[in-house]
Amino acid sequence: MSLTLPETGFVVLVDKPYGWTSFQVVNKTRWLLKKLTGIKKIKVGHAGTLDPLATGLMVLCVGKMTKQISLLTADEKEYQATGCFGRWSPSFDLEKRTIETHPTPNFNAKQFENCIEKFRGKQLQKAPIFSAKKIDGKRAYLSARAGEKVEIKANEIEIFYLNADASKWPNVNLHIHCSKGTYIRSLVNDLGACYGTNAVLTALRRTRSGNYKLSEAVKISELKAHLASKLTQG
């Protein structure tokens, strides 16, 4: 008997690998579903993008569950991140090859905690110019790559929890629980400015999105078998 999509659709939790775009994860899932079912047109979408250099939880919606994407996208997120202080890039992460080194002050625990405290709670934040944020219908990174001036308005976000481990200074590990629309690259960059230097995001992993946890996600190598288990006998 052939496999087919359940009438209600379903959610797939994927652990996005380093270097993959969110589109590639969606495309891979759609391709596997087409191969498993023989259905030519299958709706697949995600509830929150991850940058290519980030890893971790992606919530994918299949079939009629794609109608819930806007609701799921609004969920709070949790991340584990690492920032390197004293370094900078125009993308605020390692995507851009040119990394400029700036003076790194000695670590002062009280001064650093004061900076961390400033970024807890509601605040206005600007997205990086090298981001997928739309400005007048155009992705910001397209304008930035073309050398055009990019003006990004600040949006209100909320950071519910922010904890830092600076035991390996100038590399700082961060645990972040935040609202939809928070750019961790911008947070790290802004923390660097607060501390009187620069900072660049060197690692990012999403560990939770709403009620979905990374521990429940499957790796790309496990995706085909996982999808097959969610399909029904036609």
Side-chain angles (χ1 to χ4, degrees), residues 4-10 62-67 230-232:
T4 190
L5 295 178
E7 179 67 23
T8 56
F10 54 88
V62 177
K64 289 187 177 180
M65 274 302 296
T66 54
K67 295 180 180 179
K230 286 183 169 288
L231 299 173
T232 57

Side-chain angles (χ1 to χ4, degrees), residues 87-106:
R87 304 183 76 190
W88 179 85
S89 82
S91 61
F92 299 168
D93 65 4
L94 300 182
E95 179 184 353
K96 304 302 291 181
R97 293 183 180 180
T98 302
I99 302 296
E100 298 180 8
T101 302
H102 292 259
T104 306
N106 293 328

Side-chain angles (χ1 to χ4, degrees), residues 20 23-44 60 62 220 223-224 227:
W20 282 51
F23 175 78
Q24 285 176 311
V25 175
V26 169
N27 201 39
K28 177 72 171 181
T29 303
R30 186 185 294 113
W31 181 81
L32 287 171
L33 285 169
K34 287 181 179 180
K35 194 172 182 181
L36 287 165
T37 64
I39 300 173
K40 292 184 178 180
K41 291 186 178 181
I42 299 178
K43 289 184 177 180
V44 182
L60 305 185
V62 177
I220 292 294
L223 186 55
K224 182 178 180 180
L227 290 172

Side-chain angles (χ1 to χ4, degrees), residues 51 81-84 92-94 184-185 188-189 199-204:
D51 292 332
T82 302
C84 182
F92 299 168
D93 65 4
L94 300 182
I184 308 303
R185 285 183 286 152
V188 170
N189 177 74
V200 63
L201 182 70
T202 57
L204 179 64

Side-chain angles (χ1 to χ4, degrees), residues 51 54 79-94 99 104 112 115-116 118-120 123-128 157 159 162-165 169-176 178 181-205:
D51 292 332
Y79 297 92
Q80 296 288 346
T82 302
C84 182
F85 285 68
R87 304 183 76 190
W88 179 85
S89 82
S91 61
F92 299 168
D93 65 4
L94 300 182
I99 302 296
T104 306
F112 194 77
C115 284
I116 290 291
K118 288 180 180 179
F119 290 95
R120 293 179 177 133
Q123 60 202 270
L124 293 176
Q125 184 191 69
K126 285 187 177 182
I157 62 161
I159 296 182
L162 176 60
N163 186 54
D165 175 7
W169 182 261
N171 296 298
V172 177
N173 293 322
L174 300 167
H175 178 195
I176 306 137
C178 57
T182 302
Y183 282 85
I184 308 303
R185 285 183 286 152
S186 291
L187 172 62
V188 170
N189 177 74
D190 294 343
L191 277 170
C194 177
Y195 199 67
T197 182
N198 296 97
V200 63
L201 182 70
T202 57
L204 179 64
R205 188 159 176 78

